[in-house]
Amino acid sequence: MPEELRFMMRSAFYSSFVGIAYWLLTREPAGTVLLLGCGLAATVMFGALLYEWRRSGHRLSGPPWRWVLLPASDSESHTTDQSGRLPRRTLAPLSGALGIVLLALTLVFGIWMAVASIVPLLIGLRLWLRDVMAEFRAVDVD
Amino acid sequence: MTAIPVDQPLAREHGEARPQVSHGLADWLTTTDHKQIGLLYIGTSLVFFLLGGLAALALRLELAQPGMEFVTPEVYDQLFTMHGTIMMFLFGTPIALGLANYLLPLQIGAADMAFPRLNALSYWLFLFGGLVVVGGTFIVGGPADAGWTIYAPLSGPDYSPGPAMDMWIVGIGLTGISSILGAVNFIATLFTRRAPGMTMLRVPIFTWGVLVTAVLILFSFPVLTAALALLYIDRHLGGSFFEAASGGSPVLFQHLFWFFGHPEVYILILPFFGIISEIVPVFSRKPLFGYRAMILSLVLIALYSFTVWAHHMFTTGAVDLPFFSFVSLLIAVPTGIKFFNWIATMWRGQLTFPTPMLWCLGMMYFFLIGGITGVIVASPPLDFQFQDTYFVVAHLHNVLVGGTVLAAFAAIYFWFPKATGRLLSERLGKIHFWTFLVGITVTFLPQYQLGADGMPRRYADYPPNPGWADLNMISTVGSWIMAFSILVFLVNVVLTLRRPATAPDDPWEANSLEWATSSPPPDHNFRSLPKVRSERPVFDMRMSANQERSDA
Amino acid sequence: MTRRCFACQVAILGALGALASGCIPQAATTQGQSINSLYTVALAMSAVVAALVWGLITWSVIRYRRGKRASDELPPQTSGSQVLEIIWTAGPLIAIVILFTATLLTLNVVNAAPQQGAVQLNVEAFRWGWRMTYPNDGVSVEGVLAPGPQAVLPVGREVQINLTSADVIHSFFVPQFLYKKDAIPGHPNSFTITIAEPGTYAGQCAEFCGVFHSQMPFTIRAVSDTDYRAWLSSERAAGSTPGATP
């Protein structure tokens, strides 16, 4: 099981365990919800990662205690793009960030900020998608 | 997996001009290179540091004597709010992320982060979000003034109406999202981009510090975002989550805020513990003592930090005192393990004291006081006196300035040659170090006594109680010494950048992979990677080169 | 000066430095006095830790400097010791348990519920002053900004103070009692004190509440039980209309 799955699983165990212990010791609702919430989030992420990993053909093997306690072996780590390509320089992150911030400022200054955000957001999205599609086409999909 | 870039020029041949750090403006605006992004983060956070420092100088000037001499109470409240906000959110966290951004791929032998464009997006969100936060200064009425902790109902619609508080909420929400995206990137990169042979238990200790920090960010920042969203709903959409009169609870805000807030302060220190653990072994000519114990202590601190949040709420009468007291006291144990392992690293070593090592030693001496006083306030009966007084102000600055800032300077002096090809001046560095150490001692240690005497924090003015004016004056003088020290640092940086870039690959004889490439590194970091067989690959490489030379 | 002597001096400085964490007032309440004892324990432990750690750092820095004529040879590359890790984990753990036990014992004293017949004082905090009511006696004192209201309380009797807030969170803080508690709207708080010494004790708001947070003091004047009852009667006779009292 790859490192990231192990990590999410351990986080889920820890948060849930502490959340339950916290409730039993203090009966305080806010903290319990937050701790169990972290546990739930980690469980969901574990589930999603596990689904993706199995979908690309891997299967769980070995005794469960190894998953929890030991680090992953190199052969278990898996990344979708092994080409090692790096993206080229692009204005997309700057433009996109500007658009996001202007959009968020709608909450302070009203709907006109949303209007102002349209152009940088669209430019950012367009540039980003264009680069991503080009890279996608250049790599063999497995 | 080392990356082979496509659609990019081939790696520079031997003998060609050194890679440059700074290219044109367009280069910086469109970069997806983690090294440039890291430098952008560090540079921006240092600018915010100066801004937050100016706010501190102003408020310390006001506090030097009783009576309101320079500012009104309204402006004073804005000054301490912006000081805390800028230092916590716009300096401390980003400088940690900037150092991590620069170093993590290099330390694990990767060509870049797993998501380079997302990395750039994180930086620009941080910059623009930060500008929104301080932008409140320029609107009518000035910036937010409810403290960096913005407790409800003070931050709610009845007591902080107006756009300043909303700008704070939006700006901090955006920088929070920036941090979360960065955390995802660090975790993904570390798990999937390590060089061949680099198992998790051979990863450099700084990178381990970054990993636990990223995990803390991943689980704590969303809670802050939620708290801000609920606060916004209370303020503008008729919500009453935190309004007691309508069935809400102000204490709930504190739970949400501190569930984030406590991991936040560990986010601010754990990478810097990692930095000390990187630098001390180099200048002791020994490996880090107890590498695995150090990893375990990082992990334990991170785990505990999620269970102690309500020690900020001991005086609310709404939390279980024994539970939070016990876990808060317990955090001292893994922190102590770190100190003892650093000492053991130096023990029977061959110590030298260039500026980076001085910063590390200064941190060990000064941070210890903060750690001890942290244990003191972890005991509720003692906290009943110290909560919300200058004792806590002294403690928090003791650990943040004495921990984060001292170690940040250590990192800057240590990795400056790697990033720019130039070594910072040792003479100016030593002046910077000693004046800063004196400055922080004079500024913050008297504040413990002020707090013990009962001077509350966030007080624009104080009664002329015996001793209070003197202690405040001493503290203010200390702030001027600190300011002078920072000037020396800025002069050092400016003068050094003017010199030619002639630093060698490995000027300090260090241990980790970033020292195996040129100073500064080329575009995709490594032309070739040494074999990784331990947590000190460059040390191993140097030893086998020496062996070959002596065999020949 | 020999190396050993220098290290000793630093260790002593360390202990003093730990004491720089400040001297707290001698408490005027019986509950506060147990906090004084706890603080002494905590300070003593701190001094020991500081002296030990600073001493060790200083010793390493002096003793293990790399000399100018040093050869290129590396020192022994010791990288760990299970035994040491256990020792310096167990040691602090024991210290923590001691401090925690002392904390619990003190908490039991400080948070002990009052007996029957304790004096009741209801305190309502607001922006920016205090309204203090004696519910069983129909007396009330109130003050806005400085100098604030003065509440008279008896020495030697248990007093239960009940805190609320009319607007934002404030905090009722009397440094000479070594105690504070937050006044939170919608969340009433109570605590019990037994004042041991007559005197006038300054109080302050200790939770940031806005522009005049630093301008809402109050005072507690502790007198003998007889004087206290006399004061109550005269206040009742004067009509319990709120007004700042000298």
Side-chain angles (χ1 to χ4, degrees):
Chain A
M1 195 195 293
E3 200 65 58
E4 59 270 19
L5 265 76
R6 292 172 192 243
F7 162 67
M8 287 300 170
M9 181 174 53
R10 292 165 187 155
S11 304
F13 275 140
Y14 175 72
S15 297
S16 311
F17 169 72
V18 175
I20 293 170
Y22 180 71
W23 174 252
L24 293 174
L25 287 169
T26 70
R27 307 281 166 171
E28 196 275 304
T32 308
V33 169
L34 289 171
L35 288 166
L36 291 180
C38 286
L40 184 63
T43 309
V44 167
M45 287 191 275
F46 171 74
L49 287 170
L50 184 66
Y51 175 73
E52 272 306 313
W53 187 62
R54 285 172 59 91
R55 211 163 69 103
S56 49
H58 299 81
R59 288 295 176 267
L60 293 171
S61 66
W65 68 266
R66 292 187 76 92
W67 308 334
V68 181
L69 293 178
L70 296 182
S73 61
D74 267 350
S75 59
E76 293 177 295
S77 288
H78 171 75
T79 54
T80 43
D81 180 358
Q82 300 282 28
S83 71
R85 278 183 193 82
L86 296 177
R88 60 179 182 177
R89 302 190 162 280
T90 163
L91 206 52
L94 197 163
S95 185
L98 187 59
I100 293 171
V101 172
L102 289 173
L103 187 62
L105 282 174
T106 315
L107 293 171
V108 185
F109 297 117
I111 198 70
W112 291 110
M113 300 306 296
V115 171
S117 78
I118 290 176
V119 169
L121 258 183
L122 284 181
I123 293 178
L125 271 169
R126 165 102 178 85
L127 290 175
W128 201 307
L129 280 172
R130 188 192 60 185
D131 281 353
V132 166
M133 292 314 294
E135 287 162 16
F136 189 69
R137 277 190 293 272
V139 176
D140 285 338
V141 183
D142 56 340
Chain B
M1 184 65 58
T2 40
I4 305 140
V6 171
D7 298 332
Q8 290 195 1
L10 290 169
R12 292 170 209 267
E13 299 296 324
H14 247 302
E16 244 194 61
R18 237 166 223 282
Q20 293 168 289
V21 174
S22 90
H23 313 260
L25 180 64
D27 213 54
W28 286 98
L29 297 179
T30 57
T31 184
T32 58
D33 180 336
H34 74 99
K35 299 186 291 297
Q36 285 189 297
I37 294 172
L39 291 176
L40 282 171
Y41 260 108
I42 294 171
T44 310
S45 55
L46 285 175
V47 171
F48 279 121
F49 178 71
L50 294 176
L51 208 56
L54 285 174
L57 286 173
L59 64 90
R60 277 264 38 109
L61 194 62
E62 178 56 58
L63 286 174
Q65 292 291 295
M68 301 300 295
E69 294 93 24
F70 301 107
V71 298
T72 61
E74 289 88 347
V75 170
Y76 184 87
D77 293 347
Q78 291 167 344
L79 281 172
F80 74 70
T81 299
M82 293 315 286
H83 167 73
T85 304
I86 292 174
M87 290 308 198
M88 297 294 286
F89 291 110
L90 305 181
F91 162 69
T93 313
I95 201 170
L97 296 179
L99 287 165
N101 231 312
Y102 194 94
L103 291 170
L104 189 143
L106 284 167
Q107 287 203 329
I108 64 173
D112 207 310
M113 300 280 273
F115 305 114
R117 276 178 298 243
L118 195 69
N119 203 15
L121 179 72
S122 301
Y123 169 72
W124 294 111
L125 277 176
F126 152 60
L127 175 66
F128 296 140
L131 290 175
V132 169
V133 174
V134 302
T137 315
F138 301 107
I139 62 173
V140 172
D145 61 354
W148 87 276
T149 52
I150 52 155
Y151 277 3
L154 184 63
S155 56
D158 298 324
Y159 303 103
S160 288
M165 191 66 229
D166 296 312
M167 286 185 81
W168 196 101
I169 289 174
V170 166
I172 295 296
L174 288 166
T175 58
I177 290 171
S178 156
S179 301
I180 295 171
L181 295 176
V184 169
N185 224 336
F186 289 125
I187 299 174
T189 308
L190 179 59
F191 283 159
T192 63
R193 293 283 195 265
R194 281 165 284 139
M198 187 173 283
T199 58
M200 286 304 290
L201 289 176
R202 289 180 185 160
V203 162
I205 191 73
F206 172 71
T207 299
W208 266 103
V210 174
L211 174 65
V212 291
T213 304
V215 172
L216 289 181
I217 293 175
L218 192 66
F219 285 102
S220 69
F221 267 83
V223 178
L224 173 69
T225 315
L228 293 177
L230 296 182
L231 183 63
Y232 185 84
I233 293 174
D234 268 17
R235 288 172 61 80
H236 293 291
L237 301 176
S240 55
F241 293 107
F242 310 122
E243 306 290 314
S246 332
S249 165
V251 175
L252 176 62
F253 184 85
Q254 293 190 34
H255 277 296
L256 292 175
F257 184 85
W258 287 115
F259 193 85
F260 149 76
H262 198 80
E264 161 71 358
V265 305
Y266 285 101
I267 288 164
L268 291 176
I269 197 67
L270 291 180
F272 297 96
F273 282 161
I275 285 167
I276 307 289
S277 300
E278 286 284 350
I279 298 178
V280 169
V282 172
F283 299 111
S284 310
R285 306 188 89 217
K286 279 179 64 197
L288 177 67
F289 198 92
Y291 168 78
R292 291 187 182 201
M294 292 299 243
I295 293 175
L296 184 62
S297 67
L298 279 172
V299 171
L300 284 177
I301 294 174
L303 291 177
Y304 288 152
S305 73
F306 277 105
T307 61
V308 300
W309 75 92
H311 67 223
H312 301 269
M313 298 163 63
F314 278 158
T315 55
T316 59
V319 301
D320 187 292
L321 300 177
F323 178 89
F324 286 103
S325 173
F326 184 68
V327 199
S328 305
L329 288 171
L330 212 53
I331 293 202
V333 176
T335 315
I337 290 176
K338 290 199 150 322
F339 264 84
F340 290 122
N341 275 295
W342 291 329
I343 293 172
T345 304
M346 297 192 292
W347 201 265
R348 300 223 178 106
Q350 291 171 4
L351 305 182
T352 53
F353 305 102
T355 312
M357 184 63 165
L358 288 177
W359 287 108
C360 291
L361 287 168
M363 183 272 189
M364 283 193 255
Y365 278 103
F366 198 71
F367 180 89
L368 183 69
I369 307 176
I372 289 175
T373 53
V375 168
I376 290 178
V377 291
S379 169
L382 299 177
D383 190 59
F384 294 152
Q385 175 71 354
F386 296 135
Q387 166 74 345
D388 270 309
T389 67
Y390 265 82
F391 193 92
V392 173
V393 174
H395 161 73
L396 73 91
H397 285 95
N398 209 154
V399 291
L400 287 176
V401 178
T404 304
V405 176
L406 292 185
F409 283 134
I412 290 173
Y413 279 83
F414 189 63
W415 278 292
F416 201 87
K418 176 55 54 184
T420 66
R422 303 154 174 95
L423 283 144
L424 282 166
S425 152
E426 275 294 307
R427 228 184 94 239
L428 286 177
K430 289 184 159 70
I431 297 174
H432 173 203
F433 168 71
W434 286 108
T435 50
F436 198 70
L437 197 63
V438 169
I440 61 180
T441 306
V442 174
T443 308
F444 298 116
L445 290 193
Q447 292 180 356
Y448 280 118
Q449 185 58 57
L450 274 171
D453 276 345
M455 179 174 171
R457 65 187 291 196
R458 298 172 167 168
Y459 261 35
D461 191 19
Y462 50 90
N465 291 343
W468 287 22
D470 290 338
L471 288 170
N472 270 291
M473 176 60 89
I474 294 173
S475 183
T476 300
V477 170
S479 71
W480 299 336
I481 302 175
M482 286 173 72
F484 171 75
S485 163
I486 299 298
L487 278 175
V488 172
F489 169 65
L490 292 174
V491 167
N492 197 352
V493 171
V494 167
L495 289 181
T496 304
L497 285 175
R498 287 229 197 107
R499 296 208 299 263
T502 54
D505 288 5
D506 184 11
W508 309 116
E509 291 196 347
N511 298 321
S512 38
L513 278 178
E514 73 269 26
W515 304 102
T517 186
S518 60
S519 299
D523 271 348
H524 20 279
N525 291 348
F526 295 96
R527 290 194 192 94
S528 66
L529 274 177
K531 276 209 169 56
V532 178
R533 279 194 225 90
S534 76
E535 76 270 10
R536 297 201 285 169
V538 167
F539 175 84
D540 294 337
M541 191 174 78
R542 212 164 43 234
M543 287 302 108
S544 61
N546 286 347
Q547 190 66 38
E548 280 169 25
R549 222 175 295 135
S550 61
D551 286 346
Chain C
M1 189 189 298
T2 65
R3 281 179 183 154
R4 200 164 237 131
C5 178
F6 185 78
C8 270
Q9 299 223 348
V10 171
I12 294 171
L13 264 175
L16 291 174
L19 292 172
S21 62
C23 305
I24 57 177
Q26 193 55 38
T29 61
T30 54
Q31 293 83 357
Q33 281 156 12
S34 57
I35 298 180
N36 277 118
S37 313
L38 178 63
Y39 192 58
T40 310
V41 169
L43 266 194
M45 293 173 74
S46 309
V48 167
V49 169
L52 174 70
V53 177
W54 278 342
L56 286 171
I57 298 173
T58 312
W59 180 254
S60 319
V61 161
I62 299 172
R63 172 73 181 79
Y64 298 113
R65 285 189 104 94
R66 186 178 186 198
K68 293 221 168 49
R69 283 162 288 115
S71 71
D72 226 17
E73 204 185 310
L74 289 172
Q77 301 284 288
T78 331
S79 61
S81 155
Q82 290 270 37
V83 172
L84 280 176
E85 300 292 345
I86 293 174
I87 292 175
W88 60 52
T89 306
L93 203 51
I94 293 170
I96 293 300
V97 169
I98 294 174
L99 192 54
F100 182 63
T101 312
T103 296
L104 283 184
L105 294 171
T106 313
L107 262 182
N108 280 342
V109 173
V110 171
N111 280 353
Q115 315 273 11
Q116 289 276 28
V119 175
Q120 296 288 325
L121 180 66
N122 293 348
V123 175
E124 192 191 26
F126 56 91
R127 305 208 315 168
W128 283 280
W130 308 85
R131 192 172 302 119
M132 308 198 191
T133 315
Y134 298 76
N136 301 333
D137 305 284
V139 173
S140 169
V141 292
E142 180 178 323
V144 174
L145 299 180
Q150 181 174 93
V152 178
L153 290 173
V155 169
R157 280 179 69 189
E158 278 189 328
V159 177
Q160 182 174 330
I161 298 184
N162 308 303
L163 290 171
T164 50
S165 168
D167 39 45
V168 300
I169 304 179
H170 301 266
S171 191
F172 184 95
F173 178 35
V174 181
Q176 285 170 292
F177 293 172
L178 297 186
Y179 198 82
K180 67 171 64 70
K181 199 120 192 187
D182 292 350
I184 304 174
H187 182 95
N189 271 331
S190 292
F191 63 93
T192 309
I193 49 170
T194 310
I195 308 178
E197 294 286 324
T200 308
Y201 303 107
Q204 305 162 111
C205 177
E207 182 60 62
F208 181 57
C209 54
V211 174
F212 295 110
H213 168 55
S214 58
Q215 306 296 325
M216 46 184 287
F218 59 91
T219 41
I220 305 278
R221 188 158 65 95
V223 296
S224 69
D225 200 25
T226 340
D227 290 344
Y228 163 70
R229 291 179 204 276
W231 177 84
L232 273 182
S233 320
S234 71
E235 285 294 307
R236 238 189 328 246
S240 64
T241 43
T245 39

